[in-house]
Amino acid sequence: MGSQGFQGTTDYVASEQLMASVNIAIALQKPLLIKGEPGTGKTMLAEAVAKALGKKLIIWNIKSTTKAQEGLYVYDTIQRLYDGQFGEEGVDDIARYIKLGKLGEAFDSDEQVVLLIDEIDKADLEFPNDLLWELDQMEFYINETKRTVKAKHRPIVIITSNAEKELPDAFLRRCIFHYIDFPNEELMEEIVRVHFPDVEEKLLKDAMEVFYNIRAIRDIRKKPSTSELIDWINALQIGGIPTDKIKSTLPFIGVVVKKDEDLETVRQSPL
C-alpha cells in the first residue's frame, strides 16, 4: 500500500470519511463493515479499493442459503463417488476433491487480495458468528485431509450489509464500521461529472433538482439511487431533450422511478 493509502479512483468518488475508514481498517487489519441504502456504492467500494491498491478482488456473494463452511472449502463427495464408479485414477487422493471457497481462496493466495463479502445480512444469524474464528485467526482446518490452510497474507476484508437484519454484537466488535450516507448535491455533482465530464450545466442542475425533490417526497416507497440519476442523465442526453422541458414534462422519468404507485405520487407532487 502506498504512503497515501486509499484515495478513491478516477471512477469512484469517495468521501474523506470513507477513505479514512478504509485506511484505518487496513492499518488495524480488521474487516471493514459497510452499510448504507441501496445505490450508495457499497459493492463498488471493494472494486475501487482493489483497483487503487493494485490487488486482486475476490467476491463472495451471500445468499439466504449460504453457510460459512462454503466460504472455507467444500468436499465434493458426489464427484468422488462418480469417479470411483467409472474407474478414474486418483480416487483415493481426497485432496483432489477439496475445493476452496472464496475465503479459502483469499487465504491461500500468494499475494494479498481484497475479499468482498457482499450482503452478509442475507444469510442466517449464525453465519457471521461462524466466520468469527476464521477471520480472527486467519486459518482453518480441512478435516478430510488433515491440512490447515493458513493465510499467507491477511486479506483486506470488506463486508457489505443492507441492514435487512441486525448483525451479532460479537461480530460487530471485530469490525471497523462505516455508514455511507447518501451523497449530498455537491458530492453527487462530482460523481455525475466522473461519468459525463461534458454534461450541459442546465441539464445537470435541473435533473439533480428533480431527483432530490423526488427523494424528498415522503410517500415514495423506493427512493431513487445514484445509479438511477446517472442513467436518467444519460437518457436525457441521448434523447436530446431540451433542458427547459426537463422540470415541466419529466421525460424518461421511468428510468428514475421504478414503482407504479411512486410514479403516480411523483406526477401529483409539485417538483
Side-chain angles (χ1 to χ4, degrees), residues 14 20 23 41 82 86 130 143 172 174 183 189 203 211 220 228 240 242 247 258 263:
N23 289 318
Y82 184 84
F86 287 91
D130 290 345
N143 202 41
L172 295 174
R174 285 165 168 81
E189 186 173 328
L203 185 151
F211 173 80
I220 287 287
E228 282 147 351
K247 289 162 75 172
K258 304 288 176 69
L263 274 172

Side-chain angles (χ1 to χ4, degrees), residues 215-255:
R215 282 186 56 87
I217 298 171
R218 197 177 59 189
D219 297 331
I220 287 287
R221 289 183 57 193
K222 183 190 177 300
K223 290 185 177 184
S225 67
T226 305
S227 59
E228 282 147 351
L229 173 61
I230 289 165
D231 287 345
W232 191 39
I233 288 174
N234 197 22
L236 292 171
Q237 291 182 129
I238 291 169
I241 302 299
T243 50
D244 59 352
K245 299 286 187 190
I246 292 173
K247 289 162 75 172
S248 58
T249 64
L250 303 181
F252 312 125
I253 199 63
V255 176

Side-chain angles (χ1 to χ4, degrees), residues 62-247:
I62 306 304
K63 302 180 177 68
S64 59
T65 55
T66 303
K67 301 296 179 198
Q69 173 64 37
E70 296 165 26
L72 306 176
Y73 74 94
V74 289
Y75 172 32
D76 194 344
T77 51
I78 304 295
Q79 185 64 49
R80 189 180 180 211
L81 192 65
Y82 184 84
D83 288 353
Q85 286 177 333
F86 287 91
E88 291 282 337
E89 288 185 21
V91 172
D92 292 338
D93 181 8
I94 294 178
R96 282 183 57 185
Y97 302 96
I98 299 293
K99 312 289 184 199
L100 291 180
K102 299 296 186 181
L103 193 59
E105 200 183 315
F107 283 10
D108 208 38
S109 173
D110 289 329
E111 295 179 359
Q112 186 185 44
V113 301
V114 175
L115 172 65
L116 170 63
I117 304 176
D118 204 20
E119 300 193 323
I120 194 171
D121 51 322
K122 281 190 173 175
D124 64 39
L125 284 174
E126 287 308 307
F127 179 85
N129 283 334
D130 290 345
L131 277 183
L132 280 178
W133 171 261
E134 284 77 19
L135 287 176
D136 270 356
Q137 301 299 315
M138 284 287 146
E139 66 179 46
F140 61 91
Y141 183 66
I142 300 178
N143 202 41
E144 289 80 1
T145 59
K146 307 294 186 277
R147 174 192 170 205
T148 297
V149 176
K150 194 172 179 61
K152 296 171 185 173
H153 304 276
R154 180 178 284 268
I156 297 168
V157 181
I158 297 176
I159 302 169
T160 71
S161 169
N162 286 323
E164 288 181 14
K165 54 174 89 93
E166 279 301 311
L167 297 169
D169 287 348
F171 183 80
L172 295 174
R173 278 196 296 272
R174 285 165 168 81
C175 296
I176 302 295
F177 173 70
H178 184 90
Y179 186 92
I180 300 184
D181 290 311
F182 196 81
N184 60 24
E185 296 194 29
E186 186 182 346
L187 186 59
M188 184 64 85
E189 186 173 328
E190 205 178 324
I191 291 168
V192 171
R193 288 186 189 282
V194 164
H195 294 269
F196 309 114
D198 302 320
V199 63
E200 191 181 337
E201 288 296 327
K202 182 161 172 48
L203 185 151
L204 175 61
K205 178 178 173 295
D206 287 0
M208 281 185 48
E209 186 179 330
V210 170
F211 173 80
Y212 277 98
N213 285 344
I214 289 172
R215 282 186 56 87
I217 298 171
R218 197 177 59 189
D219 297 331
I220 287 287
R221 289 183 57 193
K222 183 190 177 300
K223 290 185 177 184
S225 67
T226 305
S227 59
E228 282 147 351
L229 173 61
I230 289 165
D231 287 345
W232 191 39
I233 288 174
N234 197 22
L236 292 171
Q237 291 182 129
I238 291 169
I241 302 299
T243 50
D244 59 352
K245 299 286 187 190
I246 292 173
K247 289 162 75 172

Side-chain angles (χ1 to χ4, degrees), residues 25-57:
I26 293 171
L28 296 182
Q29 299 188 329
K30 287 178 175 285
L32 175 62
L33 174 62
I34 298 287
K35 287 188 181 181
E37 68 175 81
T40 47
K42 299 187 296 296
T43 302
M44 288 172 63
L45 170 67
E47 296 169 6
V49 170
K51 181 179 177 183
L53 303 182
K55 298 186 183 299
K56 178 184 174 185
L57 174 64

